[in-house]
């Protein structure tokens, strides 16, 4: 026997909003959160724009000393988790909640990169005795999960997924399976990242992965023939997943159902995906197979779409392999608005996919004006978003190391 798994809440902090309402308003309108880098002077990196979180409501859940005990990626995750639990109506002190069956799986591509940069500089200039005592627990990638669990008393299944840009989606898929197969009743799942610093931007820039475009509106243009690299983003997206039985027993409002998960590896190259996209295609097909649906039943795909040539050629071919020429399957990458938040991308984009289902609306692939011969084989949403029947949707995340992760969501119809 297996359990059905539903979504009952979510929390978001992102370049286009720190509340569900603001996030959706900007997503629907195609308002980009990409702007000039303000977190540090990026002049020497040659990169001018990023997708930074703006007006983060730190005081809502934190006090000043929290900055000394958590790196920003952990703070973002704790914020999003608390917002998600609030939406779900879950009080972790409630006797109805079995904390031993309440867990968290949160992905991060890198962890506390700013504190790694800071303490590396301290080592170089002041020696090893001056490294901060909390350097390791501040920086290691599992501490987003650890800090969330500590804050909400999640004593059950607990781990981090560290699969680069696929981490957030892998985390959601893993949490889905924990509930499906009976190991948990409630899971917090998603991704978090805060890597906009000299080391993060400089590292990706020297890898020639980032765009040098200075116009924020033309910087992240997924699937456009003139795309020139990704824009680094940040933030966190966390979902509350529950077994259907548990959610119904406590009278929860159900937002959508997770019905499938696919995970594969290209085993091809450290950073470059398989040119024909076969690994991503397998992951999509696995998600559909677990969901028990045909490709023709999917109405929307939130693509990985990083605004890089190799990634989008492969992903477009993968989508075409699975979905063919079906005009009902609309595709967009919301990284056009948020930038690429690395390990947080899967969590943020799962929320975008969920909201697309809730509003029966496929968000625009903002900024893109002309597809090339490699990307015109899929139905990219251009110009503006579209009202559309979306009973099923999938969200793709494809990461360095060849990691491919896909989740399939279903519209909730009050069953």
């Amino acid at each position: 026997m297996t359990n059905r798994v539903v979504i009952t809440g979510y929390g978001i902090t992102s370049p286009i909003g720190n509340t569900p309402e603001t996030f959706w308003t900007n997503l629907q309108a195609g308002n980009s959160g990409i702007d000039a880098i303000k977190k540090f002077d990026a002049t020497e990196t040659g990169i001018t724009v990023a997708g930074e979180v703006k007006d983060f409501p730190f005081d809502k859940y934190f006090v000043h000393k929290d900055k000394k005990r958590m790196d920003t990626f952990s703070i973002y995750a704790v914020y999003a988790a608390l917002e998600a639990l609030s939406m779900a109506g879950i009080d972790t002190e409630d006797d109805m909640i079995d904390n031993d069956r309440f867990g968290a799986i949160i992905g991060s591509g890198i962890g506390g990169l700013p504190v790694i940069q800071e303490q590396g500089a301290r080592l170089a200039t002041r020696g090893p005795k001056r490294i901060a005592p909390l350097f390791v627990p501040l920086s290691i990638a599992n501490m987003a999960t650890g800090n969330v669990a500590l804050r909400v008393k999640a004593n059950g299944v607990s781990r981090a997924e560290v699969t680069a840009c696929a981490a957030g989606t892998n985390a959601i898929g893993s949490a889905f399976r924990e509930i499906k197969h009976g190991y948990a009743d409630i899971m917090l799942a998603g991704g978090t990242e805060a890597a906009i610093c000299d080391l993060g931007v400089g590292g990706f820039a020297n890898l020639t992965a980032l765009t040098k475009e200075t116009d924020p509106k033309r910087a992240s243009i997924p699937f456009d023939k003139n795309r020139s690299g990704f824009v680094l983003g940040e933030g966190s997206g966390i979902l509350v997943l529950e077994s259907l039985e548990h959610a119904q027993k406590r009278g929860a409002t159900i937002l959508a159902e997770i019905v499938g998960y696919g995970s594969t590896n290209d085993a091809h190259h450290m950073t470059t995906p398989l040119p024909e996209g076969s690994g991503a295609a397998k992951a999509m097909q696995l998600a559909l197979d677990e969901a028990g649906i045909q490709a023709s039943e999917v109405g929307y795909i939130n693509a990985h779409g990083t605004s890089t040539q190799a990634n989008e050629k492969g992903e477009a071919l993968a989508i075409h392999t699975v979905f063919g020429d079906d005009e009902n399957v609309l595709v967009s990458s919301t990284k056009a608005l948020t930038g690429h938040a690395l390990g947080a991308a899967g969590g943020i984009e799962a929320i975008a996919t969920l909201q697309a289902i809730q509003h029966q609306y496929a968000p625009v692939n903002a900024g893109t004006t002309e597809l090339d011969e490699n990307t015109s084989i899929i139905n990219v949403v251009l110009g503006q978003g579209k009202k559309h029947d979306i009973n099923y949707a999938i969200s793709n995340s494809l990461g360095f190391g060849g990691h491919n992760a896909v989740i399939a969501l279903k519209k909730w119809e009050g069953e």
Side-chain angles (χ1 to χ4, degrees):
M1 179 180 176
T2 58
N3 298 307
R4 292 172 66 182
V5 182
V6 296
I7 302 168
T8 57
Y10 60 88
I12 184 82
T13 178
S14 77
I16 60 169
N18 303 309
T19 67
E21 296 79 13
T22 306
F23 183 77
W24 173 249
T25 295
N26 288 316
L27 196 66
Q28 185 179 36
N31 296 329
S32 175
I34 295 168
D35 205 343
I37 295 173
K38 298 181 175 63
K39 283 182 174 282
F40 71 102
D41 183 355
T43 304
E44 291 188 19
T45 69
I47 306 301
T48 60
V49 298
E52 298 178 341
V53 168
K54 302 164 188 66
D55 302 318
F56 179 69
F58 179 85
D59 294 340
K60 185 170 185 179
Y61 296 117
F62 305 101
V63 296
H64 181 71
K65 71 177 182 180
D66 290 322
K67 292 182 180 180
K68 298 182 181 296
R69 304 189 67 83
M70 287 187 281
D71 186 77
T72 305
F73 86 107
S74 282
I75 288 174
Y76 285 167
V78 171
Y79 170 82
L82 293 174
E83 290 283 280
L85 290 171
S86 177
M87 180 187 286
I90 291 176
D91 179 356
T92 57
E93 302 288 344
D94 193 323
D95 290 340
M96 286 186 65
I97 305 302
D98 182 349
N99 293 72
D100 289 335
R101 291 183 58 81
F102 171 32
I105 303 178
I106 298 169
S108 181
I110 302 177
L113 194 60
V115 76
I116 293 171
Q117 173 184 301
E118 174 192 307
Q119 294 302 312
R122 181 178 290 196
L123 170 66
T125 59
R126 302 175 68 184
K129 295 294 187 182
R130 303 299 296 184
I131 295 172
L134 290 180
F135 164 58
V136 172
L138 279 167
S139 62
I140 52 180
N142 71 297
M143 287 307 292
T145 303
N147 281 307
V148 166
L150 179 65
R151 186 71 174 253
V152 303
K153 297 182 175 62
N155 298 121
V157 176
S158 177
R159 62 179 180 271
E161 298 277 356
V162 186
T163 50
C165 312
T169 299
N170 277 139
I172 294 168
S174 293
F176 159 69
R177 294 271 175 82
E178 294 289 343
I179 296 173
K180 178 177 179 177
H181 296 297
Y183 300 108
D185 297 327
I186 309 171
M187 294 292 296
L188 287 162
T192 189
E193 206 79 76
I196 301 175
C197 61
D198 303 79
L199 191 58
V201 173
F204 281 114
N206 291 350
L207 190 62
T208 68
L210 299 183
T211 181
K212 294 183 178 179
E213 175 63 59
T214 58
D215 180 357
K217 293 183 179 179
R218 294 294 296 166
S220 183
I221 47 174
F223 302 110
D224 194 286
K225 74 172 189 176
N226 294 314
R227 61 198 185 277
S228 58
F230 77 80
V231 172
L232 191 59
E234 64 174 354
S236 181
I238 306 291
L239 306 177
V240 175
L241 309 186
E242 293 185 66
S243 70
L244 175 59
E245 180 182 8
H246 189 275
Q248 289 179 329
K249 183 177 180 180
R250 68 179 190 87
T253 298
I254 295 171
L255 307 177
E257 183 174 3
I258 298 185
V259 290
Y261 170 50
S263 181
T264 65
N265 195 287
D266 289 349
H268 169 69
H269 187 271
M270 284 193 298
T271 59
T272 303
L274 282 162
E276 73 279 10
S278 58
K282 289 176 187 176
M284 284 185 268
Q285 189 61 57
L286 286 170
L288 299 183
D289 290 347
E290 184 169 21
I293 61 174
Q294 300 298 313
S296 58
E297 296 179 76
V298 173
Y300 174 63
I301 300 172
N302 188 291
H304 185 60
T306 56
S307 193
T308 56
Q309 293 286 336
N311 165 254
E312 289 165 2
K313 177 183 177 181
E315 187 175 15
L317 285 167
I319 291 170
H320 192 262
T321 296
V322 177
F323 296 93
D325 295 321
D326 188 348
E327 294 183 359
N328 182 62
V329 183
L330 302 184
V331 180
S332 65
S333 169
T334 47
K335 290 182 178 70
L337 306 177
T338 64
H340 185 5
L342 309 179
I348 292 169
E349 290 156 21
I351 291 170
T353 306
L354 168 60
Q355 290 187 332
I357 292 173
Q358 289 182 302
H359 294 277
Q360 295 289 282
Y361 188 91
V364 65
N365 199 94
T368 297
T369 58
E370 187 176 358
L371 307 178
D372 62 21
E373 67 277 7
N374 296 318
T375 59
S376 59
I377 58 175
I378 59 175
N379 301 313
V380 179
V381 181
L382 300 177
Q384 62 183 26
K386 296 181 180 179
K387 291 292 292 182
H388 191 57
D389 290 334
I390 308 173
N391 291 319
Y392 293 93
I394 66 171
S395 180
N396 294 344
S397 293
L398 319 175
F400 282 180
H403 302 287
N404 305 302
V406 179
I407 54 170
L409 276 61
K410 179 185 178 184
K411 178 183 177 184
W412 183 253
E413 310 214 49
E415 301 164 44

